[in-house]
Amino acid sequence: NKYTTNFSLNFANEYFVDDEISKSTFFTNATNSEVAVQVSDKTADNRALFTYNGSILKANGATLNANSETTTITITQPETYKWTGKTLTKDVIVKKYPTDFSWLLKDTYYVDDVITDIFTKTNNSLSSTITSSNPNIVKVEGNQLKALNAGRVTITVAQAIDRKWTAFTQTKEITILKHNTVSLEIPLLQ
């Protein structure tokens, strides 16, 4: 007679890219500690989203064009001469991080203003693309804006998706005003 292998899985439903889960966290109540656990995961199209080094399971990320992806993790303790084998599965989602984005733009500027405080991202340093809906009113020059003429314009900031971060596009409408000019008449001295 063999001993019955018994264990349970304690996975959360979702993990972020680069999260690490220790074996003692996801694999608990094991009656058979003599055999190394085998871990594998597969997405619907047969790709692995996790790596396992014998003690840590690490979320490597969803495909480049997806903000999240579901995978089935399979934990197996193989049968031995002394113990029965056991396999459990758990569906989990691997998610990319959203970018913490905030506008720094004011609602109103004046012709000839150079605007350097456009936005802030607090949790990643990926490059962003800045565009103006009307370059005749506001021109993008690198990471700053130049107010050229009076009018209303929409500024767009976009970040492409990558292995760890979701893509985003944010828009803000701003108004460019002309400076008030005052005409002074000075009498001529005779």
Side-chain angles (χ1 to χ4, degrees):
N1 282 346
K2 292 185 179 191
Y3 294 106
T4 302
T5 297
N6 191 17
F7 62 87
S8 59
L9 300 180
N10 293 312
F11 283 103
N13 291 326
E14 297 178 341
Y15 292 96
F16 283 102
V17 173
D18 292 338
D19 278 354
E20 293 184 347
I21 311 115
S22 69
K23 179 179 174 183
S24 61
T25 300
F26 71 79
F27 182 77
T28 60
N29 301 322
T31 56
N32 176 6
S33 59
E34 296 175 12
V35 177
V37 64
Q38 296 174 352
V39 178
S40 65
D41 79 284
K42 296 294 179 202
T43 60
D45 60 351
N46 211 29
R47 288 175 298 102
L49 300 183
F50 285 87
T51 55
Y52 182 62
N53 68 7
S55 62
I56 299 290
L57 189 62
K58 183 175 180 179
N60 292 316
T63 57
L64 186 58
N65 60 353
N67 288 331
S68 67
E69 202 163 3
T70 301
T71 188
T72 301
I73 296 177
T74 303
I75 309 289
T76 301
Q77 192 138 25
E79 183 176 345
T80 67
Y81 73 94
K82 188 175 176 183
W83 292 92
T84 61
K86 184 172 182 176
T87 298
L88 292 177
T89 61
K90 169 75 174 168
D91 287 344
V92 297
I93 297 170
V94 177
K95 296 174 20 173
K96 294 183 181 186
Y97 290 98
T99 298
D100 291 334
F101 175 92
S102 299
W103 283 109
L104 299 176
L105 285 177
K106 299 182 288 184
D107 293 330
T108 305
Y109 292 91
Y110 290 93
V111 172
D112 295 328
D113 282 352
V114 175
I115 307 158
T116 57
D117 292 332
I118 302 169
F119 66 93
T120 183
K121 295 186 301 181
T122 59
N123 63 347
N124 80 49
S125 59
L126 294 177
S127 63
S128 299
T129 303
I130 305 167
T131 56
S132 168
S133 63
N134 188 338
N136 293 321
I137 297 174
V138 172
K139 181 179 178 184
V140 177
E141 295 177 341
N143 285 331
Q144 62 184 18
L145 305 174
K146 173 75 173 161
L148 302 175
N149 292 295
R152 291 185 66 72
V153 65
T154 300
I155 303 301
T156 302
V157 175
Q159 173 184 290
I161 198 169
D162 85 338
R163 183 190 77 79
K164 188 172 180 177
W165 300 96
T166 61
F168 76 86
T169 300
Q170 298 285 333
T171 60
K172 181 168 174 73
E173 190 171 76
I174 61 173
T175 301
I176 307 300
L177 302 174
K178 290 182 182 178
H179 289 280
N180 290 332
T181 56
V182 177
S183 172
L184 297 175
E185 288 188 25
I186 302 175
L188 293 174
L189 296 175
Q190 299 192 11

